[in-house]
Amino acid sequence: MESSIDCAKEQVCLEQDESTIRSLYERLQRVPDQRKRRGKRYETAVVLTLLVLAKLAGETKMSGIAQWARLRAEWLSQVLSLHAGKAPCANTYQYVCDHMDKSALEAEIEAFTAEIAAKTAAKSAGKPRKWRQIAIDGKVLRGTDRQVAPGREAHMVVSVYVVGTRRVCKQALVEKKGKEPAAAMGLVEQLDLKGCVVSADALHTRPKWCRAVRQRGGHYLLIVKGNRPELYEDISLLFEAGPFPDLPEQRAQTVDKKHGRLEVRTLRISSALTDFLKPGWPDVAQVFQIERRVTRGDKSSCECAYGFTSLMACQATPHHVLDMIRSHWQIENVLHWRRDVTLGEDACQVSRGQTPAVLAALNNLVLFLIDHTGSRNAAETIRTFAAHPAKALALIMSPI
């Protein structure tokens, strides 16, 4: 523990050049503090560090975070500037979160995670993938739904998730219900999508969305549901009636047997509708049907979904397309589910100001740090950090 503390004691100057920034704590020191000077006892970077440390140790509520830090104040004061050797109260955490530059915090987190992801990729000996997949989806911060005033809505954020590196590269607050596509579009317009395939659910299946992704140099992979009835009917009729000799299609299949169930996914993909759909859907190249058949004991269920992509057959094999369709759901299973269940995001009842969005950004960071340790079990890693907080502190204070 002592060596971890010594490593964490490096003093950082706010005027450092970008190239000299090496630790997460140094990044957090660059977040502007918008509080008035009078009565300010704790630096923004210190409060953010305590939040991340407590979350890495399994604390999910402001009261629990405050008590966790208070019980370790003597130890933490050896590394961090704590006023009179005491840790902040629960209200201070929320006040600081409400009075910091949220956009700057998100930018620093994005830069930090991008730098680590780039270094990890450089060290990897494996062959780089032809396409980098980016998944986009929204999430309601359900803890904010319990205490909202009449006429107000629960907070919602939309995230841009890099599947291969398990990191959130962009996140935005949704203004109100029904505005998720507009918020996602704003994020897409900030990205360089060359070499990327952007996947999204049926809510984003719009010609404007397809055009925006293609203009940024990327490809799209979208699901089609009842909100686009004509498109859904055209694609479903092709696969229900086919295959036809003059309208060739390709297939791919995966078989998984785990958790007491047998799961067979079958993809059928065709370019037969390309010319028919192109006037309304920019650069559409292929349409597909994916059938998911699940068997548990003597019971079976089957469901079909339809979609389309701008990737041509020569750019991605059917197996690659099937893999990307499955990988899209990492944003639900690996990101949103772990934020809700492992980090208790839905149980947190902080609902005022920008604090819920700040905590959501910190939860993204915490999960990335856990994955960076090489762990595939977040709950197990959190228990380790709870028992050995110096390891979590070194993760924040030490160079990348």
Side-chain angles (χ1 to χ4, degrees), residues 200-206 222-228 306 329:
D201 60 22
L203 183 64
H204 304 282
T205 303
R206 306 176 180 210
L222 295 169
I223 299 298
V224 180
K225 291 185 178 179
N227 60 332
R228 292 290 172 181
Y306 300 95
W329 299 111

Side-chain angles (χ1 to χ4, degrees), residues 368-386:
F368 180 82
L369 290 173
I370 289 172
D371 290 336
H372 180 60
T373 65
S375 169
R376 289 298 179 180
N377 187 322
E380 183 179 284
T381 305
I382 285 173
R383 287 191 290 270
T384 300
F385 284 141

Side-chain angles (χ1 to χ4, degrees), residues 57-204:
E59 299 298 334
T60 60
K61 298 181 179 180
M62 285 298 194
S63 58
I65 290 170
Q67 185 181 18
W68 183 92
R70 189 164 57 248
L71 292 173
R72 294 162 179 80
E74 183 178 352
W75 170 67
L76 290 168
S77 63
Q78 300 176 50
V79 182
L80 302 172
S81 300
L82 299 182
H83 179 74
K86 297 179 180 179
C89 67
N91 288 337
T92 300
Y93 290 97
Q94 182 162 342
Y95 185 80
V96 172
C97 288
D98 271 340
H99 292 81
M100 70 173 66
D101 189 330
K102 180 174 71 69
S103 298
L105 171 65
E106 292 172 343
E108 293 298 336
I109 291 175
E110 291 162 13
F112 174 76
T113 57
E115 188 173 353
I116 291 183
K119 288 187 176 182
T120 303
K123 293 178 182 178
S124 175
K127 184 179 179 181
R129 299 183 64 173
K130 184 176 181 181
W131 301 106
R132 185 166 65 113
Q133 185 176 357
I134 292 175
I136 296 182
D137 196 18
K139 179 186 182 299
V140 176
L141 305 179
R142 299 195 182 280
T144 66
D145 194 27
R146 298 184 178 95
Q147 299 181 11
V148 294
R152 291 175 53 194
E153 297 178 349
H155 293 220
M156 182 178 184
V157 293
V158 60
S159 303
V160 180
Y161 184 73
V162 184
V163 172
T165 56
R166 292 189 168 195
R167 76 181 187 93
V168 176
C169 67
K170 292 287 181 182
Q171 181 169 283
L173 194 63
V174 179
E175 292 181 0
K176 58 182 180 179
K177 187 176 181 180
K179 294 295 183 179
E180 181 185 337
M185 183 74 71
L187 294 178
V188 166
E189 291 172 349
Q190 300 175 36
L191 300 172
D192 179 4
L193 297 176
K194 293 177 182 176
C196 297
V197 177
V198 182
S199 58
D201 60 22
L203 183 64
H204 304 282

